PDB file of all heavy atoms in Angstrom:
ATOM      1  N   LYS A   1       5.702  -0.194 -13.480  1.00 92.00           N
ATOM      2  CA  LYS A   1       7.029   0.412 -13.323  1.00 92.00           C
ATOM      3  C   LYS A   1       7.243   1.536 -14.329  1.00 92.00           C
ATOM      4  O   LYS A   1       7.831   2.572 -13.984  1.00 92.00           O
ATOM      5  CB  LYS A   1       8.101  -0.666 -13.502  1.00 92.00           C
ATOM      6  CG  LYS A   1       9.513  -0.183 -13.200  1.00 92.00           C
ATOM      7  CD  LYS A   1       9.637   0.234 -11.746  1.00 92.00           C
ATOM      8  CE  LYS A   1      11.053   0.674 -11.412  1.00 92.00           C
ATOM      9  NZ  LYS A   1      11.192   1.137 -10.014  1.00 92.00           N
ATOM     10  N   ARG A   2       6.732   1.358 -15.535  1.00 91.00           N
ATOM     11  CA  ARG A   2       6.963   2.346 -16.579  1.00 91.00           C
ATOM     12  C   ARG A   2       5.920   3.468 -16.576  1.00 91.00           C
ATOM     13  O   ARG A   2       6.131   4.512 -17.207  1.00 91.00           O
ATOM     14  CB  ARG A   2       6.973   1.660 -17.951  1.00 91.00           C
ATOM     15  CG  ARG A   2       8.046   0.602 -18.093  1.00 91.00           C
ATOM     16  CD  ARG A   2       8.115   0.041 -19.493  1.00 91.00           C
ATOM     17  NE  ARG A   2       8.483   1.076 -20.467  1.00 91.00           N
ATOM     18  CZ  ARG A   2       8.663   0.840 -21.772  1.00 91.00           C
ATOM     19  NH1 ARG A   2       8.511  -0.397 -22.237  1.00 91.00           N
ATOM     20  NH2 ARG A   2       8.987   1.816 -22.591  1.00 91.00           N
ATOM     21  N   SER A   3       4.790   3.247 -15.901  1.00 88.00           N
ATOM     22  CA  SER A   3       3.702   4.238 -15.955  1.00 88.00           C
ATOM     23  C   SER A   3       3.965   5.461 -15.089  1.00 88.00           C
ATOM     24  O   SER A   3       3.544   6.569 -15.423  1.00 88.00           O
ATOM     25  CB  SER A   3       2.377   3.588 -15.545  1.00 88.00           C
ATOM     26  OG  SER A   3       2.424   3.187 -14.183  1.00 88.00           O
ATOM     27  N   SER A   4       4.652   5.282 -13.957  1.00 88.00           N
ATOM     28  CA  SER A   4       4.884   6.404 -13.035  1.00 88.00           C
ATOM     29  C   SER A   4       5.988   6.035 -12.070  1.00 88.00           C
ATOM     30  O   SER A   4       6.257   4.845 -11.838  1.00 88.00           O
ATOM     31  CB  SER A   4       3.600   6.745 -12.267  1.00 88.00           C
ATOM     32  OG  SER A   4       3.185   5.634 -11.490  1.00 88.00           O
ATOM     33  N   PRO A   5       6.650   7.018 -11.473  1.00 88.00           N
ATOM     34  CA  PRO A   5       7.719   6.733 -10.507  1.00 88.00           C
ATOM     35  C   PRO A   5       7.169   6.016  -9.277  1.00 88.00           C
ATOM     36  O   PRO A   5       6.041   6.262  -8.853  1.00 88.00           O
ATOM     37  CB  PRO A   5       8.253   8.126 -10.154  1.00 88.00           C
ATOM     38  CG  PRO A   5       7.788   9.021 -11.262  1.00 88.00           C
ATOM     39  CD  PRO A   5       6.494   8.466 -11.723  1.00 88.00           C
ATOM     40  N   GLY A   6       7.985   5.142  -8.698  1.00 88.00           N
ATOM     41  CA  GLY A   6       7.577   4.442  -7.494  1.00 88.00           C
ATOM     42  C   GLY A   6       7.771   2.948  -7.622  1.00 88.00           C
ATOM     43  O   GLY A   6       8.120   2.426  -8.684  1.00 88.00           O
ATOM     44  N   ALA A   7       7.549   2.236  -6.523  1.00 91.00           N
ATOM     45  CA  ALA A   7       7.709   0.782  -6.499  1.00 91.00           C
ATOM     46  C   ALA A   7       6.594   0.106  -7.284  1.00 91.00           C
ATOM     47  O   ALA A   7       5.510   0.669  -7.476  1.00 91.00           O
ATOM     48  CB  ALA A   7       7.710   0.286  -5.058  1.00 91.00           C
ATOM     49  N   VAL A   8       6.838  -1.119  -7.722  1.00 93.00           N
ATOM     50  CA  VAL A   8       5.820  -1.897  -8.453  1.00 93.00           C
ATOM     51  C   VAL A   8       4.728  -2.352  -7.495  1.00 93.00           C
ATOM     52  O   VAL A   8       3.529  -2.252  -7.795  1.00 93.00           O
ATOM     53  CB  VAL A   8       6.467  -3.115  -9.151  1.00 93.00           C
ATOM     54  CG1 VAL A   8       5.377  -4.044  -9.706  1.00 93.00           C
ATOM     55  CG2 VAL A   8       7.402  -2.655 -10.243  1.00 93.00           C
ATOM     56  N   LEU A   9       5.129  -2.832  -6.329  1.00 93.00           N
ATOM     57  CA  LEU A   9       4.174  -3.347  -5.348  1.00 93.00           C
ATOM     58  C   LEU A   9       3.935  -2.329  -4.242  1.00 93.00           C
ATOM     59  O   LEU A   9       4.863  -1.660  -3.774  1.00 93.00           O
ATOM     60  CB  LEU A   9       4.680  -4.654  -4.736  1.00 93.00           C
ATOM     61  CG  LEU A   9       4.760  -5.863  -5.664  1.00 93.00           C
ATOM     62  CD1 LEU A   9       5.296  -7.081  -4.915  1.00 93.00           C
ATOM     63  CD2 LEU A   9       3.394  -6.184  -6.263  1.00 93.00           C
ATOM     64  N   PHE A  10       2.698  -2.223  -3.846  1.00 91.00           N
ATOM     65  CA  PHE A  10       2.304  -1.344  -2.742  1.00 91.00           C
ATOM     66  C   PHE A  10       2.101  -2.210  -1.510  1.00 91.00           C
ATOM     67  O   PHE A  10       1.334  -3.177  -1.527  1.00 91.00           O
ATOM     68  CB  PHE A  10       1.022  -0.613  -3.109  1.00 91.00           C
ATOM     69  CG  PHE A  10       0.413   0.161  -1.970  1.00 91.00           C
ATOM     70  CD1 PHE A  10       1.044   1.287  -1.459  1.00 91.00           C
ATOM     71  CD2 PHE A  10      -0.798  -0.237  -1.409  1.00 91.00           C
ATOM     72  CE1 PHE A  10       0.480   2.001  -0.411  1.00 91.00           C
ATOM     73  CE2 PHE A  10      -1.369   0.469  -0.367  1.00 91.00           C
ATOM     74  CZ  PHE A  10      -0.724   1.590   0.130  1.00 91.00           C
ATOM     75  N   ARG A  11       2.815  -1.901  -0.438  1.00 92.00           N
ATOM     76  CA  ARG A  11       2.699  -2.632   0.823  1.00 92.00           C
ATOM     77  C   ARG A  11       2.012  -1.742   1.854  1.00 92.00           C
ATOM     78  O   ARG A  11       2.404  -0.585   2.030  1.00 92.00           O
ATOM     79  CB  ARG A  11       4.080  -3.032   1.348  1.00 92.00           C
ATOM     80  CG  ARG A  11       4.774  -4.094   0.527  1.00 92.00           C
ATOM     81  CD  ARG A  11       6.265  -4.145   0.834  1.00 92.00           C
ATOM     82  NE  ARG A  11       6.510  -4.204   2.270  1.00 92.00           N
ATOM     83  CZ  ARG A  11       6.610  -5.328   2.974  1.00 92.00           C
ATOM     84  NH1 ARG A  11       6.491  -6.489   2.352  1.00 92.00           N
ATOM     85  NH2 ARG A  11       6.838  -5.305   4.266  1.00 92.00           N
ATOM     86  N   GLN A  12       0.985  -2.287   2.495  1.00 91.00           N
ATOM     87  CA  GLN A  12       0.238  -1.500   3.482  1.00 91.00           C
ATOM     88  C   GLN A  12      -0.094  -2.377   4.676  1.00 91.00           C
ATOM     89  O   GLN A  12      -0.500  -3.533   4.523  1.00 91.00           O
ATOM     90  CB  GLN A  12      -1.054  -0.966   2.862  1.00 91.00           C
ATOM     91  CG  GLN A  12      -1.822  -0.010   3.766  1.00 91.00           C
ATOM     92  CD  GLN A  12      -3.082   0.497   3.092  1.00 91.00           C
ATOM     93  OE1 GLN A  12      -3.887  -0.291   2.578  1.00 91.00           O
ATOM     94  NE2 GLN A  12      -3.269   1.807   3.077  1.00 91.00           N
ATOM     95  N   GLU A  13       0.057  -1.824   5.859  1.00 93.00           N
ATOM     96  CA  GLU A  13      -0.228  -2.578   7.068  1.00 93.00           C
ATOM     97  C   GLU A  13      -1.730  -2.720   7.254  1.00 93.00           C
ATOM     98  O   GLU A  13      -2.480  -1.750   7.185  1.00 93.00           O
ATOM     99  CB  GLU A  13       0.389  -1.901   8.295  1.00 93.00           C
ATOM    100  CG  GLU A  13       0.323  -2.760   9.545  1.00 93.00           C
ATOM    101  CD  GLU A  13       1.004  -2.108  10.738  1.00 93.00           C
ATOM    102  OE1 GLU A  13       0.664  -0.940  11.037  1.00 93.00           O
ATOM    103  OE2 GLU A  13       1.868  -2.752  11.347  1.00 93.00           O
ATOM    104  N   ARG A  14      -2.175  -3.939   7.478  1.00 93.00           N
ATOM    105  CA  ARG A  14      -3.578  -4.232   7.737  1.00 93.00           C
ATOM    106  C   ARG A  14      -3.690  -5.099   8.985  1.00 93.00           C
ATOM    107  O   ARG A  14      -2.697  -5.646   9.483  1.00 93.00           O
ATOM    108  CB  ARG A  14      -4.209  -4.966   6.553  1.00 93.00           C
ATOM    109  CG  ARG A  14      -4.227  -4.174   5.244  1.00 93.00           C
ATOM    110  CD  ARG A  14      -5.195  -3.014   5.288  1.00 93.00           C
ATOM    111  NE  ARG A  14      -5.261  -2.304   4.031  1.00 93.00           N
ATOM    112  CZ  ARG A  14      -6.207  -2.470   3.117  1.00 93.00           C
ATOM    113  NH1 ARG A  14      -7.174  -3.356   3.325  1.00 93.00           N
ATOM    114  NH2 ARG A  14      -6.182  -1.765   2.003  1.00 93.00           N
ATOM    115  N   VAL A  15      -4.914  -5.239   9.485  1.00 93.00           N
ATOM    116  CA  VAL A  15      -5.178  -6.071  10.668  1.00 93.00           C
ATOM    117  C   VAL A  15      -5.861  -7.346  10.198  1.00 93.00           C
ATOM    118  O   VAL A  15      -6.870  -7.302   9.486  1.00 93.00           O
ATOM    119  CB  VAL A  15      -6.060  -5.340  11.683  1.00 93.00           C
ATOM    120  CG1 VAL A  15      -6.287  -6.208  12.920  1.00 93.00           C
ATOM    121  CG2 VAL A  15      -5.424  -4.012  12.075  1.00 93.00           C
ATOM    122  N   GLY A  16      -5.306  -8.482  10.590  1.00 93.00           N
ATOM    123  CA  GLY A  16      -5.815  -9.762  10.129  1.00 93.00           C
ATOM    124  C   GLY A  16      -6.344 -10.639  11.239  1.00 93.00           C
ATOM    125  O   GLY A  16      -6.849 -10.156  12.253  1.00 93.00           O
ATOM    126  N   HIS A  17      -6.209 -11.932  11.049  1.00 90.00           N
ATOM    127  CA  HIS A  17      -6.748 -12.932  11.976  1.00 90.00           C
ATOM    128  C   HIS A  17      -6.228 -12.715  13.399  1.00 90.00           C
ATOM    129  O   HIS A  17      -5.034 -12.505  13.613  1.00 90.00           O
ATOM    130  CB  HIS A  17      -6.355 -14.328  11.475  1.00 90.00           C
ATOM    131  CG  HIS A  17      -6.851 -15.438  12.338  1.00 90.00           C
ATOM    132  ND1 HIS A  17      -6.089 -16.538  12.660  1.00 90.00           N
ATOM    133  CD2 HIS A  17      -8.059 -15.619  12.949  1.00 90.00           C
ATOM    134  CE1 HIS A  17      -6.790 -17.339  13.435  1.00 90.00           C
ATOM    135  NE2 HIS A  17      -7.990 -16.814  13.616  1.00 90.00           N
ATOM    136  N   ALA A  18      -7.160 -12.729  14.354  1.00 84.00           N
ATOM    137  CA  ALA A  18      -6.846 -12.568  15.776  1.00 84.00           C
ATOM    138  C   ALA A  18      -6.191 -11.226  16.081  1.00 84.00           C
ATOM    139  O   ALA A  18      -5.491 -11.081  17.089  1.00 84.00           O
ATOM    140  CB  ALA A  18      -5.956 -13.716  16.264  1.00 84.00           C
ATOM    141  N   GLY A  19      -6.406 -10.224  15.203  1.00 87.00           N
ATOM    142  CA  GLY A  19      -5.862  -8.899  15.447  1.00 87.00           C
ATOM    143  C   GLY A  19      -4.404  -8.741  15.081  1.00 87.00           C
ATOM    144  O   GLY A  19      -3.818  -7.672  15.338  1.00 87.00           O
ATOM    145  N   ARG A  20      -3.798  -9.803  14.496  1.00 92.00           N
ATOM    146  CA  ARG A  20      -2.391  -9.709  14.116  1.00 92.00           C
ATOM    147  C   ARG A  20      -2.234  -8.819  12.876  1.00 92.00           C
ATOM    148  O   ARG A  20      -3.022  -8.908  11.942  1.00 92.00           O
ATOM    149  CB  ARG A  20      -1.810 -11.100  13.853  1.00 92.00           C
ATOM    150  CG  ARG A  20      -1.635 -11.930  15.112  1.00 92.00           C
ATOM    151  CD  ARG A  20      -0.844 -13.188  14.826  1.00 92.00           C
ATOM    152  NE  ARG A  20      -1.643 -14.144  14.093  1.00 92.00           N
ATOM    153  CZ  ARG A  20      -2.375 -15.100  14.665  1.00 92.00           C
ATOM    154  NH1 ARG A  20      -2.400 -15.202  15.979  1.00 92.00           N
ATOM    155  NH2 ARG A  20      -3.071 -15.931  13.932  1.00 92.00           N
ATOM    156  N   ARG A  21      -1.191  -8.016  12.868  1.00 95.00           N
ATOM    157  CA  ARG A  21      -0.961  -7.104  11.750  1.00 95.00           C
ATOM    158  C   ARG A  21      -0.060  -7.766  10.709  1.00 95.00           C
ATOM    159  O   ARG A  21       0.841  -8.547  11.041  1.00 95.00           O
ATOM    160  CB  ARG A  21      -0.349  -5.798  12.247  1.00 95.00           C
ATOM    161  CG  ARG A  21      -1.255  -5.057  13.226  1.00 95.00           C
ATOM    162  CD  ARG A  21      -0.776  -3.658  13.509  1.00 95.00           C
ATOM    163  NE  ARG A  21      -1.667  -2.963  14.424  1.00 95.00           N
ATOM    164  CZ  ARG A  21      -1.596  -1.675  14.705  1.00 95.00           C
ATOM    165  NH1 ARG A  21      -0.655  -0.921  14.121  1.00 95.00           N
ATOM    166  NH2 ARG A  21      -2.444  -1.112  15.544  1.00 95.00           N
ATOM    167  N   PHE A  22      -0.305  -7.425   9.462  1.00 95.00           N
ATOM    168  CA  PHE A  22       0.502  -7.956   8.365  1.00 95.00           C
ATOM    169  C   PHE A  22       0.529  -6.914   7.256  1.00 95.00           C
ATOM    170  O   PHE A  22      -0.217  -5.935   7.294  1.00 95.00           O
ATOM    171  CB  PHE A  22      -0.087  -9.275   7.852  1.00 95.00           C
ATOM    172  CG  PHE A  22      -1.385  -9.116   7.104  1.00 95.00           C
ATOM    173  CD1 PHE A  22      -1.411  -9.118   5.716  1.00 95.00           C
ATOM    174  CD2 PHE A  22      -2.597  -8.951   7.783  1.00 95.00           C
ATOM    175  CE1 PHE A  22      -2.596  -8.969   5.016  1.00 95.00           C
ATOM    176  CE2 PHE A  22      -3.791  -8.799   7.093  1.00 95.00           C
ATOM    177  CZ  PHE A  22      -3.799  -8.801   5.709  1.00 95.00           C
ATOM    178  N   HIS A  23       1.383  -7.122   6.277  1.00 96.00           N
ATOM    179  CA  HIS A  23       1.490  -6.199   5.159  1.00 96.00           C
ATOM    180  C   HIS A  23       0.823  -6.815   3.935  1.00 96.00           C
ATOM    181  O   HIS A  23       1.259  -7.855   3.435  1.00 96.00           O
ATOM    182  CB  HIS A  23       2.956  -5.856   4.862  1.00 96.00           C
ATOM    183  CG  HIS A  23       3.550  -4.925   5.863  1.00 96.00           C
ATOM    184  ND1 HIS A  23       4.219  -5.362   6.977  1.00 96.00           N
ATOM    185  CD2 HIS A  23       3.555  -3.551   5.917  1.00 96.00           C
ATOM    186  CE1 HIS A  23       4.618  -4.316   7.689  1.00 96.00           C
ATOM    187  NE2 HIS A  23       4.235  -3.212   7.065  1.00 96.00           N
ATOM    188  N   ILE A  24      -0.237  -6.165   3.477  1.00 96.00           N
ATOM    189  CA  ILE A  24      -0.959  -6.625   2.300  1.00 96.00           C
ATOM    190  C   ILE A  24      -0.205  -6.142   1.053  1.00 96.00           C
ATOM    191  O   ILE A  24       0.400  -5.073   1.055  1.00 96.00           O
ATOM    192  CB  ILE A  24      -2.410  -6.093   2.307  1.00 96.00           C
ATOM    193  CG1 ILE A  24      -3.281  -6.843   1.306  1.00 96.00           C
ATOM    194  CG2 ILE A  24      -2.454  -4.601   2.040  1.00 96.00           C
ATOM    195  CD1 ILE A  24      -4.768  -6.500   1.415  1.00 96.00           C
ATOM    196  N   LEU A  25      -0.226  -6.960   0.002  1.00 96.00           N
ATOM    197  CA  LEU A  25       0.469  -6.642  -1.236  1.00 96.00           C
ATOM    198  C   LEU A  25      -0.529  -6.329  -2.342  1.00 96.00           C
ATOM    199  O   LEU A  25      -1.533  -7.034  -2.497  1.00 96.00           O
ATOM    200  CB  LEU A  25       1.351  -7.816  -1.679  1.00 96.00           C
ATOM    201  CG  LEU A  25       2.460  -8.249  -0.720  1.00 96.00           C
ATOM    202  CD1 LEU A  25       3.196  -9.464  -1.280  1.00 96.00           C
ATOM    203  CD2 LEU A  25       3.436  -7.107  -0.481  1.00 96.00           C
ATOM    204  N   LYS A  26      -0.253  -5.260  -3.071  1.00 94.00           N
ATOM    205  CA  LYS A  26      -1.053  -4.898  -4.239  1.00 94.00           C
ATOM    206  C   LYS A  26      -0.136  -4.316  -5.305  1.00 94.00           C
ATOM    207  O   LYS A  26       0.957  -3.826  -4.993  1.00 94.00           O
ATOM    208  CB  LYS A  26      -2.114  -3.842  -3.882  1.00 94.00           C
ATOM    209  CG  LYS A  26      -3.219  -4.284  -2.960  1.00 94.00           C
ATOM    210  CD  LYS A  26      -4.249  -3.167  -2.802  1.00 94.00           C
ATOM    211  CE  LYS A  26      -5.406  -3.573  -1.911  1.00 94.00           C
ATOM    212  NZ  LYS A  26      -6.444  -2.503  -1.847  1.00 94.00           N
ATOM    213  N   PHE A  27      -0.572  -4.376  -6.557  1.00 95.00           N
ATOM    214  CA  PHE A  27       0.117  -3.582  -7.559  1.00 95.00           C
ATOM    215  C   PHE A  27      -0.156  -2.108  -7.273  1.00 95.00           C
ATOM    216  O   PHE A  27      -1.299  -1.723  -7.000  1.00 95.00           O
ATOM    217  CB  PHE A  27      -0.381  -3.926  -8.967  1.00 95.00           C
ATOM    218  CG  PHE A  27       0.215  -5.189  -9.527  1.00 95.00           C
ATOM    219  CD1 PHE A  27      -0.599  -6.230  -9.945  1.00 95.00           C
ATOM    220  CD2 PHE A  27       1.586  -5.339  -9.638  1.00 95.00           C
ATOM    221  CE1 PHE A  27      -0.060  -7.392 -10.453  1.00 95.00           C
ATOM    222  CE2 PHE A  27       2.141  -6.501 -10.156  1.00 95.00           C
ATOM    223  CZ  PHE A  27       1.321  -7.539 -10.563  1.00 95.00           C
ATOM    224  N   ARG A  28       0.883  -1.285  -7.320  1.00 92.00           N
ATOM    225  CA  ARG A  28       0.702   0.139  -7.021  1.00 92.00           C
ATOM    226  C   ARG A  28      -0.223   0.780  -8.052  1.00 92.00           C
ATOM    227  O   ARG A  28       0.014   0.705  -9.252  1.00 92.00           O
ATOM    228  CB  ARG A  28       2.064   0.853  -7.025  1.00 92.00           C
ATOM    229  CG  ARG A  28       1.979   2.331  -6.658  1.00 92.00           C
ATOM    230  CD  ARG A  28       3.356   2.945  -6.555  1.00 92.00           C
ATOM    231  NE  ARG A  28       4.131   2.767  -7.765  1.00 92.00           N
ATOM    232  CZ  ARG A  28       4.013   3.548  -8.843  1.00 92.00           C
ATOM    233  NH1 ARG A  28       3.144   4.556  -8.855  1.00 92.00           N
ATOM    234  NH2 ARG A  28       4.749   3.309  -9.916  1.00 92.00           N
ATOM    235  N   SER A  29      -1.279   1.401  -7.566  1.00 87.00           N
ATOM    236  CA  SER A  29      -2.250   2.052  -8.456  1.00 87.00           C
ATOM    237  C   SER A  29      -2.302   3.559  -8.239  1.00 87.00           C
ATOM    238  O   SER A  29      -3.080   4.249  -8.896  1.00 87.00           O
ATOM    239  CB  SER A  29      -3.645   1.458  -8.241  1.00 87.00           C
ATOM    240  OG  SER A  29      -4.075   1.636  -6.900  1.00 87.00           O
ATOM    241  N   MET A  30      -1.493   4.057  -7.302  1.00 86.00           N
ATOM    242  CA  MET A  30      -1.492   5.486  -6.990  1.00 86.00           C
ATOM    243  C   MET A  30      -0.115   6.077  -7.216  1.00 86.00           C
ATOM    244  O   MET A  30       0.879   5.354  -7.366  1.00 86.00           O
ATOM    245  CB  MET A  30      -1.918   5.722  -5.541  1.00 86.00           C
ATOM    246  CG  MET A  30      -3.355   5.346  -5.237  1.00 86.00           C
ATOM    247  SD  MET A  30      -3.793   5.793  -3.535  1.00 86.00           S
ATOM    248  CE  MET A  30      -5.517   5.345  -3.516  1.00 86.00           C
ATOM    249  N   CYS A  31      -0.076   7.385  -7.180  1.00 85.00           N
ATOM    250  CA  CYS A  31       1.201   8.079  -7.301  1.00 85.00           C
ATOM    251  C   CYS A  31       2.041   7.841  -6.053  1.00 85.00           C
ATOM    252  O   CYS A  31       1.522   7.478  -4.990  1.00 85.00           O
ATOM    253  CB  CYS A  31       0.986   9.575  -7.509  1.00 85.00           C
ATOM    254  SG  CYS A  31       0.111  10.380  -6.147  1.00 85.00           S
ATOM    255  N   ASP A  32       3.323   8.022  -6.166  1.00 76.00           N
ATOM    256  CA  ASP A  32       4.223   7.815  -5.038  1.00 76.00           C
ATOM    257  C   ASP A  32       3.905   8.827  -3.927  1.00 76.00           C
ATOM    258  O   ASP A  32       3.700  10.012  -4.184  1.00 76.00           O
ATOM    259  CB  ASP A  32       5.667   7.977  -5.513  1.00 76.00           C
ATOM    260  CG  ASP A  32       6.653   7.413  -4.509  1.00 76.00           C
ATOM    261  OD1 ASP A  32       6.257   6.510  -3.759  1.00 76.00           O
ATOM    262  OD2 ASP A  32       7.801   7.882  -4.473  1.00 76.00           O
ATOM    263  N   GLY A  33       3.832   8.340  -2.676  1.00 71.00           N
ATOM    264  CA  GLY A  33       3.537   9.221  -1.542  1.00 71.00           C
ATOM    265  C   GLY A  33       2.058   9.451  -1.315  1.00 71.00           C
ATOM    266  O   GLY A  33       1.672  10.409  -0.631  1.00 71.00           O
ATOM    267  N   ALA A  34       1.198   8.583  -1.866  1.00 70.00           N
ATOM    268  CA  ALA A  34      -0.255   8.775  -1.753  1.00 70.00           C
ATOM    269  C   ALA A  34      -0.753   8.663  -0.317  1.00 70.00           C
ATOM    270  O   ALA A  34      -1.740   9.302   0.053  1.00 70.00           O
ATOM    271  CB  ALA A  34      -0.966   7.743  -2.630  1.00 70.00           C
ATOM    272  N   GLU A  35      -0.076   7.875   0.507  1.00 68.00           N
ATOM    273  CA  GLU A  35      -0.518   7.668   1.883  1.00 68.00           C
ATOM    274  C   GLU A  35      -0.531   8.971   2.683  1.00 68.00           C
ATOM    275  O   GLU A  35      -1.369   9.157   3.567  1.00 68.00           O
ATOM    276  CB  GLU A  35       0.387   6.649   2.572  1.00 68.00           C
ATOM    277  CG  GLU A  35       0.184   5.222   2.130  1.00 68.00           C
ATOM    278  CD  GLU A  35      -1.128   4.658   2.640  1.00 68.00           C
ATOM    279  OE1 GLU A  35      -1.195   4.252   3.813  1.00 68.00           O
ATOM    280  OE2 GLU A  35      -2.097   4.648   1.860  1.00 68.00           O
ATOM    281  N   ALA A  36       0.370   9.895   2.352  1.00 67.00           N
ATOM    282  CA  ALA A  36       0.470  11.150   3.099  1.00 67.00           C
ATOM    283  C   ALA A  36      -0.714  12.072   2.824  1.00 67.00           C
ATOM    284  O   ALA A  36      -0.919  13.058   3.557  1.00 67.00           O
ATOM    285  CB  ALA A  36       1.775  11.862   2.759  1.00 67.00           C
ATOM    286  N   GLN A  37      -1.519  11.774   1.802  1.00 65.00           N
ATOM    287  CA  GLN A  37      -2.635  12.633   1.428  1.00 65.00           C
ATOM    288  C   GLN A  37      -3.986  12.148   1.950  1.00 65.00           C
ATOM    289  O   GLN A  37      -5.019  12.738   1.628  1.00 65.00           O
ATOM    290  CB  GLN A  37      -2.700  12.747  -0.104  1.00 65.00           C
ATOM    291  CG  GLN A  37      -1.421  13.234  -0.754  1.00 65.00           C
ATOM    292  CD  GLN A  37      -1.508  13.255  -2.264  1.00 65.00           C
ATOM    293  OE1 GLN A  37      -2.554  13.605  -2.833  1.00 65.00           O
ATOM    294  NE2 GLN A  37      -0.424  12.874  -2.938  1.00 65.00           N
ATOM    295  N   VAL A  38      -3.981  11.071   2.722  1.00 69.00           N
ATOM    296  CA  VAL A  38      -5.246  10.477   3.173  1.00 69.00           C
ATOM    297  C   VAL A  38      -6.071  11.448   3.999  1.00 69.00           C
ATOM    298  O   VAL A  38      -7.275  11.627   3.768  1.00 69.00           O
ATOM    299  CB  VAL A  38      -4.974   9.188   3.981  1.00 69.00           C
ATOM    300  CG1 VAL A  38      -6.260   8.694   4.645  1.00 69.00           C
ATOM    301  CG2 VAL A  38      -4.400   8.104   3.081  1.00 69.00           C
ATOM    302  N   ASP A  39      -5.457  12.100   4.984  1.00 66.00           N
ATOM    303  CA  ASP A  39      -6.213  13.004   5.867  1.00 66.00           C
ATOM    304  C   ASP A  39      -6.859  14.141   5.091  1.00 66.00           C
ATOM    305  O   ASP A  39      -7.988  14.554   5.388  1.00 66.00           O
ATOM    306  CB  ASP A  39      -5.287  13.566   6.945  1.00 66.00           C
ATOM    307  CG  ASP A  39      -4.846  12.499   7.934  1.00 66.00           C
ATOM    308  OD1 ASP A  39      -5.562  11.477   8.039  1.00 66.00           O
ATOM    309  OD2 ASP A  39      -3.793  12.669   8.577  1.00 66.00           O
ATOM    310  N   ALA A  40      -6.181  14.639   4.067  1.00 68.00           N
ATOM    311  CA  ALA A  40      -6.726  15.745   3.283  1.00 68.00           C
ATOM    312  C   ALA A  40      -7.927  15.310   2.456  1.00 68.00           C
ATOM    313  O   ALA A  40      -8.791  16.128   2.135  1.00 68.00           O
ATOM    314  CB  ALA A  40      -5.642  16.306   2.365  1.00 68.00           C
ATOM    315  N   LEU A  41      -8.025  14.011   2.136  1.00 71.00           N
ATOM    316  CA  LEU A  41      -9.107  13.513   1.282  1.00 71.00           C
ATOM    317  C   LEU A  41     -10.220  12.836   2.074  1.00 71.00           C
ATOM    318  O   LEU A  41     -11.218  12.413   1.488  1.00 71.00           O
ATOM    319  CB  LEU A  41      -8.544  12.505   0.264  1.00 71.00           C
ATOM    320  CG  LEU A  41      -7.585  13.071  -0.793  1.00 71.00           C
ATOM    321  CD1 LEU A  41      -6.951  11.933  -1.575  1.00 71.00           C
ATOM    322  CD2 LEU A  41      -8.337  14.008  -1.729  1.00 71.00           C
TER     323      LEU A  41
END
């Protein structure tokens, strides 16, 4: 929380058992808005 702006937890949609989608939880390790830069990288 103190290292950079943004939420503490990063939520991302993933595909799980039997193809059901769920939101995986991680501590945020990237800058805010990192998902929008995926195609460029």
